[in-house]
Amino acid sequence: MTSRRTFLKSSILSSSLLLPGVVKKGANLLSRQKQSEKTYKPLIVSTWNHGLEANEKAWEVLHQTGSILDAVEEGVKVTEADPASRTVGLYGFPDREGIVTLDASIMKGNGDCGSVCFVRQVKHPITLARRVMEKTPHVMLAGEGARQFAIAEGFPLEEEVLHPESEKDYKEWLKEAEYRPVINIENHDTIGMVGLDAYGNLAGSCTTSGLAFKMHGRVGDSPIIGAGLYVDNEAGAATATGMGETIIKICGSFLVVELMRNGRSPQEACEEAIARLIDKNRDNIENMQAGFIAINKDGEYGGYAVHPGFNYAVKHEGGNELEDAKSSFKE
Ligand code: GLY
C-alpha cells in the first residue's frame, strides 16, 4: 500500500516538474519585459506577520533618512526587540543547552555586506552585522569573536535570561529532548526584509534566533550571504525563511537573484528556487517549510514556499498588506 509519506513524495516530485515558475527552455529570458504593471518604488517586503510592523518602521525611516539601508536595518530591529517574538532576537527559543544564539545579515545593492552568527547577548545582531560590514575588512564574525567585537563597539550586553514563555517551552521540550522541526511556528520564523528606494537602490536584512532547540553551535541560512539574503542593484533582492539547511544547500537567495538577472520575474524566480530546493531535499521535505520573497529593480515582487502557511508583508505607497504565499504542497 502507498504510505502517506510515499504518496506525498511522489506527488510533490511530479508536481515540481510542472511548477508554473519553471521557465521553459529556449525562452528569451534576457529580453524579458516587465510582466506586471504593478510596480512600486519605493517598495518594502518582509517575511511573516511580524513584517507588517517592521515594514511601517522601515517606511518611516526611509522617508526620514532617505537611506534604504537604514530602512531595512531599523525595520527588522522592531522584531528583534519584540518580546512576543519566539524566533527572532533574544526573547527567542533557546538551543538544546538552553542558550539563545542569534544570526543576522545585511546587504547593499552594490555588494557590500556583513553578518554575525552564533552570537550571544546582543539585542540587535542586525546592527552588529552592519558594523561588521562598515568597520571591518570582513564579511562575517562568529560566536565569541562577534560578541567581543560588539563589546569593542560599545554594544550593551544583555543578561542571559530566557523569556518566561521560551523557558516554559524549553522545559517541556527537555522532557523528551527530541528535535522535530515545526512547520510555520505560530506563523513566524526569521524576519527577512528587502527594500527598494525611489532611485532603484536595493538593500536587505535578515535576522533570527534560528531553529528552536537546535544543537549548540548550529548556524542557519540567515547570516550566510547568498543563502538567507542576497542583493544586487543590477537584478534584485531576495531573502529566505524556514529550515535553513534546505536553503543553504541551494544557495537559495543567490539563486533567486540570479534567476531574476536571467529574466524571471520575482514570482517566477521564487517558484523555480523552491522547485530546486524540493529537488535537493527530497528525503524529508514533507516536514520542512522554506520560503522566499523577492523584489526586482523595477519594483515587482513575489513570494513562494514549500508548504501552505507562509505569508509576507508588502509595503508601498498604496498600503501595507499581508499576502499569503502560494506553495508547492497544497493544503
Ligand atoms: N531560517 C532560519 C534558520 O534556519 O535558522
Side-chain angles (χ1 to χ4, degrees), residues 103 189-190 208-211 214 218-222 240-245 247:
D103 298 336
D189 176 72
T190 312
T208 186
S209 51
L211 289 171
K214 62 195 175 185
R218 181 264 186 191
V219 170
D221 60 303
S222 305
T241 182
M243 190 70 180
E245 285 73 3
I247 297 159

Side-chain angles (χ1 to χ4, degrees), residues 2-276:
T2 310
S3 68
R4 177 181 136 76
R5 189 180 164 113
T6 313
F7 170 75
L8 283 171
K9 267 193 189 169
S10 58
S11 63
I12 193 67
L13 293 180
S14 54
S15 71
S16 72
L17 299 174
L18 301 172
L19 285 175
V22 180
V23 176
K24 297 94 202 148
K25 284 199 175 74
N28 187 359
L29 297 169
L30 295 175
S31 65
R32 172 183 169 272
Q33 301 293 310
K34 277 190 304 226
Q35 293 189 344
S36 164
E37 287 313 305
K38 287 191 180 166
T39 61
Y40 304 97
K41 285 184 190 176
L43 173 66
I44 309 274
V45 184
S46 55
T47 54
W48 302 105
N49 302 0
H50 48 208
L52 283 174
E53 212 183 331
N55 281 359
E56 289 298 342
K57 183 67 180 178
W59 193 257
E60 182 191 315
V61 170
L62 179 62
H63 287 83
Q64 277 166 359
T65 70
S67 162
I68 192 68
L69 185 68
D70 288 350
V72 298
E73 178 193 350
E74 293 298 328
V76 301
K77 278 171 71 176
V78 172
T79 320
E80 286 182 340
D82 183 359
S85 176
R86 295 278 85 73
T87 53
V88 178
L90 289 174
Y91 301 112
F93 290 116
D95 65 17
R96 59 183 56 188
E97 312 301 327
I99 300 166
V100 178
T101 69
L102 305 178
D103 298 336
S105 63
I106 194 160
M107 188 164 190
K108 287 165 68 176
N110 68 354
D112 290 349
C113 52
S115 77
V116 291
C117 65
F118 188 45
V119 66
R120 295 163 67 163
Q121 294 183 273
V122 174
K123 184 173 181 183
H124 288 301
I126 196 66
T127 302
L128 190 58
R130 180 170 176 176
R131 213 59 76 84
V132 172
M133 173 175 82
E134 292 179 338
K135 290 216 169 173
T136 79
H138 307 304
V139 166
M140 187 176 210
L141 290 180
E144 182 56 18
R147 204 180 70 102
Q148 289 300 329
F149 178 61
I151 295 168
E153 285 294 308
F155 285 63
L157 294 186
E158 306 294 320
E159 225 183 313
E160 289 194 295
V161 181
L162 292 182
H163 185 280
E165 291 297 315
S166 294
E167 187 175 18
K168 196 169 106 221
D169 290 337
Y170 175 57
K171 284 189 174 151
E172 194 56 38
W173 176 81
L174 278 177
K175 289 181 188 161
E176 287 190 23
E178 191 183 334
Y179 177 66
R180 283 188 222 97
V182 178
I183 289 178
N184 300 326
I185 303 174
E186 298 165 15
N187 246 21
H188 55 81
D189 176 72
T190 312
I191 183 157
M193 176 181 281
V194 284
L196 173 70
D197 71 14
Y199 309 99
N201 298 302
L202 290 155
S205 57
C206 189
T207 176
T208 186
S209 51
L211 289 171
F213 321 131
K214 62 195 175 185
M215 285 178 72
H216 190 60
R218 181 264 186 191
V219 170
D221 60 303
S222 305
I224 299 177
I225 299 297
L229 178 69
Y230 199 72
V231 184
D232 185 339
N233 275 348
E234 305 301 317
T239 187
T241 182
M243 190 70 180
E245 285 73 3
T246 66
I247 297 159
I248 293 169
K249 282 189 195 174
I250 62 156
C251 293
S253 294
F254 179 73
L255 175 61
V256 173
V257 171
E258 290 310 291
L259 288 166
M260 291 192 285
R261 191 193 308 281
N262 286 309
R264 272 70 152 188
S265 68
Q267 184 61 34
E268 288 170 338
C270 291
E271 292 180 12
E272 191 165 344
I274 289 292
R276 176 89 59 90

Side-chain angles (χ1 to χ4, degrees), residues 46-48 184 187 241 289-293 303-305 307-312 323-326:
S46 55
T47 54
W48 302 105
N184 300 326
N187 246 21
T241 182
Q289 176 63 302
F292 294 107
I293 56 170
Y304 201 70
H307 292 277
F310 172 46
N311 55 18
Y312 53 96
E323 295 199 13
D324 288 325
K326 294 202 173 83

